[in-house]
Amino acid sequence: SMSLAEKLFKKLESLTERFEVKLMMLEFVSRLIGTHELQLLNFYPYVARFLAPHQREVVRLLQFSAQACHELVPPDAVEPVLKAIVNNFVTERNSAEVMAVGLNAIRELCVRCPLVMSEDLLQDLAQYKSYKDKAVMMASKSLIMLFRNTHPELLHKKDRGKPTEAMASLGRRGYGEAEVYDHVPGAEVLDVDQPAQPTSQQDSK
């Protein structure tokens, strides 16, 4: 997978063909990187160049950027993508719609590569939770919720919410660290003696 992704990416960098062809190749390479957890570090600064609101098919490009992220990518490799989204989308010079797209894209990026986010940046983005536009406000709250459940220490105290038992054992993992559990965090809320309710036909549709 790695050599295929590298070959395709080399071809992509020198490609002079139509934008649609580039887009198809970017999608394929990003999927290879994400699915097989490949380390193709030049991909991120390359795709970051296309992340601007006026760019054709930018929503798809934002999806490919997130798709190519995973926990084994060094956070500083993904940083150009995060910076491009913050600087080009999440600014009050843009429409609320563009800002919301940017905040949602940042959330998708951080779901897959949470260590790319810094405390200062997260606290800046969290301030949009009281923004006048509902889409921006919801996108900011969604980002806060993600970090409340994963890395609450990066948020202002007032944004952290009440800790649960599952969160109490959560420390911020460093790059390359894995979490190994001998129990299921949060399972104490399940009543194991309760027989499972059969699901109705309606639910399974």
Side-chain angles (χ1 to χ4, degrees), residues 44-106:
Y44 308 97
Y46 177 81
V47 77
R49 300 188 331 217
F50 297 100
L51 303 180
H54 55 77
Q55 171 68 52
R56 270 164 65 205
E57 300 281 7
V58 72
V59 173
R60 286 180 68 199
L61 288 160
L62 288 165
Q63 285 168 349
F64 305 160
S65 305
Q67 198 166 258
C69 289
H70 53 82
E71 285 197 340
L72 301 181
V73 182
D76 56 352
V78 181
E79 216 174 306
V81 171
L82 178 64
K83 279 193 169 145
I85 301 172
V86 170
N87 296 336
N88 298 338
F89 288 79
V90 191
T91 158
E92 293 182 35
R93 293 190 307 271
N94 288 332
S95 68
E97 188 186 8
V98 167
M99 290 171 69
V101 165
L103 283 165
N104 286 322
I106 290 167

Side-chain angles (χ1 to χ4, degrees), residues 6-43:
E6 281 174 335
K7 277 178 193 155
L8 282 170
F9 184 65
K10 275 209 163 60
K11 195 175 168 70
L12 188 60
E13 284 183 303
S14 58
L15 204 65
T16 53
E17 284 165 69
R18 289 198 331 277
F19 180 66
E20 287 75 14
V21 179
K22 241 180 197 169
L23 207 59
M24 274 166 39
M25 285 179 73
L26 269 169
E27 178 170 24
F28 187 49
V29 172
S30 72
R31 201 166 277 182
L32 279 175
I33 295 170
T35 306
H36 300 285
E37 298 195 326
L38 307 177
Q39 301 257 359
L40 192 58
L41 304 186
N42 292 345
F43 178 86

